[in-house]
Amino acid sequence: MAKLTAEQKAANKEIFKARDRAYNARKGAYRKARENALAQYGTGPEKKAYEEADAAFNQAFDRVEAERRAIDDQIRVLREQQEGLRAKHNVDTLADARRKASDVHFKGRMAVEARIDSEYPDVAGVHSAVEWAANGHFTPELAEQV
């Protein structure tokens, strides 16, 4: 790349300054034209229609949020009621009483079953005549006695 002379550098500097001034002037005109156009546009019927639609939406949204909060409050009350149901109906105490009664009942039942099983040891736990006979509890001679 060739080196520029001092005169070429000075000329380029002046060109760049002129370019920057022209750009800044054009950009300033653009900004001013844009601001003026938008200021005039902001007073038209479109803005009024937007503001009315925006206000209507905001009011409706606020009503929705208020109703949602009211429903959330109702849900909170219902959940509190749900949480109190077991105590209200004494479920835990009744469950304990049922568990104790169940233990007594089934222990008694098991005792009865054990007593009967001991009285009939040849058929207790046997599920077929074939099995009973295979265990040596049947002879044809005894069949006539039954």
Side-chain angles (χ1 to χ4, degrees), residues 25-80:
R26 184 76 175 146
K27 188 70 172 189
Y30 162 77
R31 285 188 189 121
K32 186 173 267 194
R34 188 172 190 271
E35 288 171 10
N36 289 339
L38 290 176
Q40 290 176 10
Y41 179 79
T43 61
E46 296 87 356
K47 183 171 184 183
K48 183 178 180 190
Y50 160 73
E51 288 172 345
E52 289 171 356
D54 187 52
F57 171 81
N58 288 334
Q59 289 171 357
F61 192 79
D62 290 345
R63 287 191 301 270
V64 166
E65 286 300 303
E67 284 185 42
R68 186 191 56 75
R69 283 190 300 275
I71 291 169
D72 285 346
D73 290 343
Q74 292 173 2
I75 290 170
R76 194 176 309 99
V77 167
L78 291 172
R79 284 195 177 131
E80 289 170 1

Side-chain angles (χ1 to χ4, degrees), residues 85-99:
L85 285 175
R86 290 179 67 90
K88 177 181 176 184
H89 294 284
N90 205 20
V91 170
D92 293 336
T93 303
L94 293 171
D96 189 44
R98 179 179 71 172
R99 189 173 25 262

